């Protein structure tokens, strides 16, 4: 056998294995979800493996998600006494981050 034939055979067997494994895994997840719901547990299956697909088909979605995650980690600046008017508005503390237009 040549190397090309070996690679072709491996790919063919791998494809056939995937055709068998995918329905089995879907059936397992359906059975597990049904069992957990009957017990009253919350059901949350992982979808982390699908996040890698965004970078191939929607690069802007991946960038937007990265920006959103960074914004969630960045704390809003605390007001200081020298910030001037508009920081304390009645019973509310207004923090201007520059992301939204302020209406006075």
């Amino acid at each position: 056998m040549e190397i090309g034939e070996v690679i072709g055979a491996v790919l063919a067997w791998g494809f056939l294995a995937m055709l068998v494994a995918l329905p089995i895994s879907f059936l397992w997840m359906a059975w597990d979800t049904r069992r957990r719901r009957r017990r009253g547990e919350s059901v949350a299956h992982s979808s982390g493996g699908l996040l890698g697909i965004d970078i191939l088909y929607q690069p802007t979605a991946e960038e937007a998600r990265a920006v959103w995650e960074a914004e969630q980690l960045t704390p809003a600046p605390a007001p200081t006494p020298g910030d001037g008017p508009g920081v304390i508005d009645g019973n509310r503390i207004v923090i201007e981050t520059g992301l939204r237009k302020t209406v006075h």
Side-chain angles (χ1 to χ4, degrees):
M1 270 187 164
E2 292 181 25
I3 190 75
E5 292 175 357
V6 172
I7 292 174
V10 168
L11 288 175
W13 281 108
F15 179 73
L16 289 174
M18 289 289 288
L19 283 178
V20 171
L22 281 175
I24 291 172
S25 67
F26 289 145
L27 287 173
W28 174 264
M29 284 176 42
W31 176 79
D32 185 49
T33 301
R34 184 175 177 205
R35 181 181 58 87
R36 286 184 183 201
R37 284 188 180 150
R38 273 194 265 148
R39 289 183 180 179
E41 299 176 10
S42 63
V43 181
H45 292 289
S46 173
S47 62
L50 298 176
L51 292 177
I53 295 175
D54 265 353
I55 200 163
L56 295 175
Y57 294 105
Q58 298 176 342
T60 55
E62 172 67 21
E63 293 169 10
R65 187 177 60 80
V67 167
W68 179 81
E69 287 178 356
E71 288 176 351
Q72 299 303 312
L73 297 175
T74 306
T80 60
D83 281 343
V87 174
I88 298 176
D89 184 23
N91 292 332
R92 291 181 18 192
I93 298 176
V94 179
I95 301 172
E96 296 177 8
T97 61
L99 297 176
R100 297 182 181 162
K101 294 181 180 177
T102 57
V103 179
H104 293 284

